[in-house]
Every structure is written in structure tokens, then in C-alpha cells.
């Protein structure tokens, strides 16, 4: 294999490109990123970068090895697996011997095309636009009470804005389960966030501009409306390629998609599992997939999945998936710091210092 093309411009793509070198690949590695910025991390975009505490520049990922060809503003629009070429929006074909798909996801929007006024948060540009709006605002309505929506709400409260969050489910419940979700929800209430649960969902109000949402007959409006209603895997460019797409590009446990093609990160879903759109997963999948592309049989992560969130003065670290597991079997408390364990395979800490590896081992311990 002489030429490996990595499509994507963030953590999964950068990790895969670096890992190819770590594993000794000495051919050409070309990274094609649709974005015009140097690769950056999204994690602080809902936290310190949105608040203005940290700069946009601070989000830069560590620079790639000089031997990796980084092409910015290079959006892939289709894939020809027979001819082994990625086609860019300029029409240029980029040939490959090996391909890494790491195109991540984009923010899901609620408003129809042509309606303005709905902010989302996925990119540096989204963050800059939202931050600018917040500077002139007194109130914010966040639609979506998942991890991202609640982090945005938390940041907006620290900026002194009036914040309402609306969702069809109780905040954070779908991702954290009742116990952990309730802890953070209480902190959100103490911060002064107004939380609305509308089981039948909200209806957008407005014609050309989004003016608010109808929440079970109540009109909720604010100076800024931001939705955080999930992400959509950015795999449209693979339509017609013959690769299996099912809420992401489907891989085996080693990230393999087809002969000479692997995928990792938010764009990928391991066959028979749910997509895990979290930072650590993107890093780990990218390493495994890069090795698999080079023909190494490195097993996927043996430890449970892991993610974290920071909001309302709470730092929660979660290993495994407690959402469906109900009450934890064990809670160790030390002041405001907590360690929770579910014997069915999850563990979490709240404002508690513990190495991530140890937490993940604890989650999988019998
Ligand atoms: C605001 C925010 C905060 C977050 N905070 C946390 C957190 O606290 N903890 C946590 O665990 N996770 C967090 N996450 C999730 C984490 O950031 C993602 O899981 C991670 O970014 C996934 O990386 P990725 O490289 O797979 O995809 P992405 O980050 O989506 O990157 C995909 C890249 O591919 C490029 N691309 C897309 N389509 C094309 C194309 N056709 N051609 C070329 N390039 C293309 C994109 O421009 C982008 O550069 C957060 C996410 C967001 C949005």
C-alpha cells in the first residue's frame, strides 16, 4: 500500500493519520478536510470557548507530522470504490490504496431550509456566531436537554443570561439514566435554569424566522434560540458507493468497512451496536482502524466506552452505559464527590478524581 487517504479533519482523522505513522506506514498520507481551519477539538466549544474564557486558537489539535499532507477546504462529495478514488467538490479525483473515513457528524437542525434564527453548535464558526448573539442577548432558549444542550445552558447561565431548556424527555435522562441525570438537573435548577419537559415535543413557531417554540400550548421565546437535538453522521458523500450505511458507515469491530477501507469516530457505527459519538471513542476507533488498514489484527477497545461532561459545577465521568440500568448498586460519597457503580457494567464519578482507566476497569469488574 503506497497511498492512504484520510477523509475528515478532526480528532478521528488526525488520530488515524498519526497512528498510521506510529505503526510504521511510510507511504503517502493525505488528509482531506472540508473545513478551512487547522484541525481543532470541539469539546470546549460548548464550554470555555463559548463563554469567551478560552480563545478559538486554543482548540487547535497538536500539529500533524510534517510528512502528512493536510488539504484544507477539500470536501469529499463521492467515493468510487472500484477505481479507488475520492472525488472532491472541485471535481478532482484523489486516488488511494487505503482509505480512512472519518467525516464525523453535523448538527441536526429542526427548522426547515429557508428559515433563519436557529443556532446550532458543532463547528468553530457555529460557536463564534452563537457567542456573538449571546453578547447582545438577555435570554436564551435551548431546545434539547442532552449533554450538549445542558452544557450550552450551563455556559449561558455563567454569562448571566436567562436560560430555558426544553425537551420531550427529562434532562440528560436518555444518556445518563435517572440517578446521574437528576443530580445534574438539580444543579441546573440551583443555577437558575428553567427546565421544561414537553412529552409530545415542541412545534416551531415562525415563518421565515424562528420566533419560538410551542410547548404544549405555551409559546417559549428568547433573544437567542439554539437547538442541540443530536447529530447526523456526515456520510451523505458515501451514498451510491456500495458501502453499508445505517446511521453511520457500518464497520466490523476493527473498523473495517470493505477491502482497503476503514472508518472511525462519529461517522462510524460498529455492526450490531449503537453509534457512540464521544471523544474517547473517536480516538480509540481511529487507532484500531488505522492498524486494521495496515493489516494488523488489533482488537477493538476491551474496556467499556467512556465520556465526560462539565456543566453547572459538576464534572461527571461515565464508563459504560448507565442510561438503561436504573439505580446504581453502590454509591460511595465523600462530601460532594461521588462514585457510582452499576454491577451490570457501568461506573461514574461526580467531581471525583480517578484515572479514567481505573474507572473503566471498575465498570467492567464483576
Ligand atoms: C460542542 C461539542 C462539545 C463536545 N464535548 C464533548 C465532551 O465534553 N466529551 C466527549 O466525550 N465528547 C464531546 N463531544 C463529542 C466529540 O467532540 C466528538 O465525538 C468528536 O468530535 C468526534 O470526532 P470525529 O473526528 O469523528 O468527528 P468530527 O469532530 O465531527 O469531525 C469530522 C471532520 O470531518 C470533516 N468532514 C465532514 N464531511 C467531510 C467531507 N465530505 N469531506 C471532507 N471532510 C469532511 C468535518 O469538517 C470535520 O473536520 C463534543 C462535541 C461537540 C460538538
Amino acid at each position: 500500500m503506497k497511498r492512504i487517504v484520510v477523509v475528515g479533519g478532526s480528532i478521528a482523522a488526525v488520530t488515524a493519520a498519526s497512528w498510521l505513522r506510529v505503526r510504521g506506514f511510510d507511504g503517502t498520507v493525505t488528509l482531506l478536510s472540508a473545513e478551512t481551519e487547522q484541525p481543532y477539538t470541539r469539546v470546549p466549544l460548548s464550554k470555555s470557548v463559548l463563554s469567551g474564557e478560552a480563545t478559538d486558537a486554543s482548540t487547535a489539535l497538536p500539529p500533524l507530522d510534517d510528512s502528512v499532507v493536510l488539504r484544507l477546504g477539500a470536501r469529499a462529495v463521492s467515493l468510487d470504490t472500484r477505481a479507488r478514488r475520492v472525488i472532491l467538490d472541485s471535481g478532482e479525483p484523489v486516488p488511494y490504496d487505503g482509505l480512512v473515513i472519518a467525516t464525523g457528524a453535523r448538527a441536526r437542525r429542526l427548522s426547515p431550509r429557508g428559515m433563519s434564527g436557529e443556532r446550532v453548535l458543532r463547528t468553530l464558526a457555529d460557536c463564534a456566531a452563537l457567542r456573538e448573539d449571546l453578547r447582545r442577548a438577555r435570554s436564551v432558549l435551548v431546545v434539547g436537554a442532552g449533554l450538549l444542550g445542558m452544557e450550552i445552558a450551563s455556559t449561558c447561565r455563567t454569562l448571566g443570561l436567562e436560560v430555558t431548556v426544553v425537551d420531550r424527555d427529562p434532562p440528560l435522562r436518555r444518556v445518563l439514566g435517572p440517578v446521574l441525570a437528576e443530580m445534574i438537573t438539580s444543579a441546573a435548577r440551583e443555577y437558575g435554569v428553567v427546565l421544561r419537559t414537553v412529552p409530545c415535543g415542541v412545534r416551531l413557531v415562525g415563518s421565515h424566522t424562528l420566533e419560538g417554540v410551542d410547548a404544549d400550548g405555551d409559546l417559549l421565546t428568547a433573544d437567542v434560540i439554539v437547538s442541540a437535538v443530536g447529530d447526523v453522521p456526515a456520510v451523505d458523500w458515501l451514498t451510491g458507493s456500495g458501502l453499508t450505511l445505517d446511521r453511520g458507515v457500518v464497520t466490523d469491530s476493527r473498523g473495517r468497512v470493505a477491502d482497503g477501507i476503514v472508518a472511525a469516530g462519529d461517522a462510524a457505527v460498529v455492526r450490531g451496536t449503537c453509534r457512540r459519538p464521544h471523544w474517547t471513542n473517536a480516538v480509540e476507533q481511529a487507532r484500531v482502524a488505522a492498524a486494521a488498514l495496515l493489516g494488523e489484527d488489533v482488537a477493538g477497545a476491551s474496556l467499556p466506552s467512556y465520556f465526560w461532561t462539565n456543566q453547572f459545577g459538576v464534572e461527571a465521568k461515565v464508563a459504560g452505559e448507565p442510561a438503561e440500568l436504573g439505580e446504581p448498586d453502590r454509591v460511595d460519597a465523600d462530601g460532594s464527590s461521588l462514585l457510582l457503580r452499576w454491577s451490570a457494567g457501568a461506573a461514574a464519578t461526580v467531581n471525583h478524581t480517578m484515572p479514567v482507566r481505573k474507572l473503566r476497569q471498575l465498570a467492567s469488574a464483576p
Side-chain angles (χ1 to χ4, degrees):
M1 200 178 289
K2 294 245 180 314
R3 299 160 303 183
I4 295 182
V5 169
V6 182
V7 187
S10 193
I11 186 63
V14 165
T15 304
S18 312
W19 211 246
L20 288 167
R21 290 289 184 242
V22 171
R23 308 306 290 191
F25 178 69
D26 60 3
T28 312
V29 179
T30 305
L31 197 139
L32 305 173
S33 173
E35 293 183 273
T36 49
E37 295 90 354
Q38 293 288 323
Y40 60 89
T41 169
R42 295 173 207 287
V43 171
L45 299 186
S46 47
K47 310 172 183 83
S48 53
V49 178
L50 183 61
S51 69
E53 228 176 289
T55 61
D56 289 2
S58 69
T59 63
L61 288 170
L64 284 156
D65 182 308
D66 281 347
S67 67
V68 174
V69 179
L70 171 61
R71 293 188 55 182
L72 299 175
R75 178 178 293 279
V77 290
S78 63
L79 174 66
D80 182 343
T81 51
R82 285 173 66 124
R84 295 200 170 219
R85 308 187 303 181
V86 173
I87 313 299
L88 299 183
D89 52 359
S90 60
E92 179 191 339
V94 182
Y96 65 83
D97 303 310
L99 176 70
V100 181
I101 297 168
T103 41
R106 58 187 157 76
R108 190 160 88 80
R109 285 181 176 274
L110 293 172
S111 56
R113 201 179 283 272
M115 183 189 262
S116 63
E118 178 188 16
R119 288 276 175 227
V120 294
L121 182 55
R122 181 83 201 175
T123 64
L124 262 176
D126 293 338
C127 185
L130 178 58
R131 197 172 52 214
E132 187 54 27
D133 282 0
L134 296 178
R135 246 174 19 92
R136 287 182 261 110
R138 286 183 40 206
S139 59
V140 185
L141 172 63
V142 182
V143 183
L147 293 171
L148 181 58
M150 293 294 277
E151 285 188 359
I152 295 170
S154 171
T155 302
C156 289
R157 275 308 290 154
T158 62
L159 293 172
L161 298 159
E162 288 167 25
V163 182
T164 302
V165 183
V166 62
D167 197 313
R168 71 174 66 182
D169 292 318
L172 300 167
R173 191 67 76 85
R174 275 189 311 263
V175 56
L176 297 180
V179 176
L180 212 43
E182 191 44 46
M183 275 176 206
I184 301 183
T185 304
S186 307
R189 287 200 191 92
E190 278 168 29
Y191 264 62
V193 174
V194 176
L195 300 164
R196 286 285 307 263
T197 303
V198 184
C200 55
V202 296
R203 194 176 56 78
L204 302 191
V205 177
S207 45
H208 298 296
T209 305
L210 180 61
E211 288 159 14
V213 300
D214 179 338
D216 233 356
D218 289 343
L219 176 65
L220 306 180
T221 60
D223 298 333
V224 177
I225 302 174
V226 51
S227 59
V229 289
D231 59 352
V232 183
V235 292
D236 330 32
W237 66 284
L238 299 171
T239 305
S241 65
L243 303 185
T244 308
L245 304 179
D246 181 12
R247 281 159 288 174
V249 57
V250 178
T251 74
D252 70 7
S253 61
R254 267 70 165 162
R256 293 175 295 216
V257 176
D259 185 31
I261 304 180
V262 296
D266 285 10
V269 58
V270 179
R271 186 173 294 110
T273 70
C274 294
R275 199 169 59 95
R276 298 207 169 87
H278 302 298
W279 170 270
T280 306
N281 185 50
V283 171
E284 292 178 346
Q285 279 188 341
R287 289 179 181 163
V288 170
L293 191 59
L294 300 178
E296 296 175 30
D297 194 21
V298 176
S302 55
L303 291 171
S305 61
Y306 167 76
F307 64 90
W308 74 95
T309 182
N310 288 295
Q311 44 183 287
F312 307 109
V314 174
E315 183 187 52
K317 297 179 178 174
V318 182
E321 283 162 25
E324 305 297 324
L325 304 181
E327 300 277 323
D329 308 292
R330 208 174 137 182
V331 178
D332 297 311
D334 180 7
S336 60
S337 132
L338 293 173
L339 170 61
L340 301 93
R341 276 189 64 185
W342 290 259
S343 57
T349 58
V350 175
N351 295 340
H352 180 94
T353 311
M354 173 180 281
V356 171
R357 191 172 177 79
K358 191 166 168 207
L359 180 69
R360 295 174 84 181
Q361 281 165 344
L362 206 58
S364 55

